[in-house]
Amino acid sequence: MNNQLNSTEYDIPPDMEGQVAITTLDKVYNWSRRNSIWPMMFGLACCGIEMICAATSRFDFSRFGMEVMRPSPRQSDLMIVSGTVTKKMIPQIVRLYNQMPEPKYVLAMGACASGGGPFKEGYSVVDGVDKFIPVDVYVPGCPPTPQALLHGLITLQKKIDHQSIKNVRWYSKEQLEPVPVPVLGPDLMDPREYELIKEISAEKLADEQQEPEAEQA
Ligand code: SF4
């Protein structure tokens, strides 16, 4: 344990090795977080089965301190989006993401969650969960194997290792705004694009009003 925690800039005298560690606050902070990531269960389609396999005895991601799969966003650090994200589902995903406390991470598991996958052109499918929430790690594949998911989780641990308490967003002075929850009507509406949608609708309306006038003339 102390080998992981020890800062490389300091030499520990040989007779104290294994008993003493000289380290930084960042290292201790990141070491504790990287080894206790609690994922939120989020199996949306076939990829969900592979995610479940990663928790079984053969792959056993509890080795990484991740065995506590939460059914609630309120005690979770990591949202694993595994499976096809439909337009009907994305408002719930964004709402749950907003309900997760900081620090929080998102892992997009599989082609569907990363970019729409085989259903990319489908009328009911979102072409990538990253259109709405920030994704930290993408795990490619259709479906990715449990080993690939483990690799994604190790990649996330490496990302955490490089974060510093000085500039992480959850300690910044600015207020962290929640992601606007998309609205599902005849199609999905992203509230961040509301002004653009209003502009295009106004142009369309003006065109439609001009057409009958031109026909009459
Ligand atoms: S990426 Fe492939 S395996 Fe995963 S949910 Fe989509 S279709 Fe299913």
Side-chain angles (χ1 to χ4, degrees):
M1 180 210 294
N2 66 314
N3 285 345
Q4 279 180 20
L5 276 177
N6 213 10
S7 192
T8 48
E9 296 99 69
Y10 303 100
D11 290 329
I12 303 287
D15 55 334
M16 295 179 86
E17 268 176 17
Q19 297 168 48
V20 171
I22 300 176
T23 189
T24 60
L25 190 55
D26 270 344
K27 260 199 155 181
V28 178
Y29 180 66
N30 291 339
W31 174 81
S32 57
R33 292 191 311 117
R34 82 192 299 279
N35 293 310
S36 59
I37 299 169
W38 288 4
M40 182 164 65
M41 289 189 247
F42 222 123
L44 296 174
C46 2
C47 278
I49 304 298
E50 302 296 321
M51 181 184 69
I52 293 163
C53 287
T56 57
S57 54
R58 183 163 180 191
F59 301 101
D60 192 16
F61 67 14
S62 59
R63 290 175 292 151
F64 303 96
M66 293 175 181
E67 71 269 43
V68 189
M69 276 271 211
R70 306 301 301 187
S72 154
R74 291 184 178 84
Q75 295 91 23
S76 305
D77 308 293
L78 168 66
M79 176 186 266
I80 303 178
V81 185
S82 59
T84 317
V85 181
T86 58
K87 289 179 180 173
K88 200 172 178 184
M89 187 47 118
I90 192 71
Q92 281 64 254
I93 292 180
V94 174
R95 191 171 293 117
L96 288 168
Y97 175 80
N98 286 337
Q99 288 175 355
M100 287 170 71
E102 292 279 2
K104 57 185 169 186
Y105 302 92
V106 177
L107 184 148
M109 181 180 177
C112 281
S114 303
F119 312 110
K120 189 174 170 62
E121 304 299 332
Y123 71 94
S124 60
V125 172
V126 172
D127 57 351
V129 74
D130 58 359
K131 300 280 185 308
F132 294 90
I133 52 176
V135 172
D136 297 280
V137 179
Y138 297 86
V139 179
C142 178
T145 56
Q147 292 94 326
L149 177 58
L150 290 183
H151 183 264
L153 295 172
I154 293 168
T155 306
L156 178 65
Q157 287 187 320
K158 285 182 184 160
K159 179 172 180 167
I160 292 173
D161 285 340
H162 290 102
Q163 291 188 307
S164 172
I165 207 165
K166 285 182 282 207
N167 52 24
V168 285
R169 66 171 182 265
W170 50 93
Y171 289 136
S172 72
K173 289 200 175 113
E174 288 121 50
Q175 175 95 15
L176 293 177
E177 295 297 332
V179 177
V181 178
V183 180
L184 182 63
D187 203 345
L188 201 61
M189 203 275 281
D190 186 342
R192 290 170 297 189
E193 291 175 353
Y194 183 62
E195 287 307 317
L196 182 67
I197 293 168
K198 224 165 92 176
E199 212 174 284
I200 294 170
S201 307
E203 274 172 26
K204 277 203 150 190
L205 199 67
D207 287 349
E208 279 169 17
Q209 281 168 351
Q210 272 173 7
E211 270 169 27
E213 283 170 20
E215 278 169 21
Q216 280 170 11

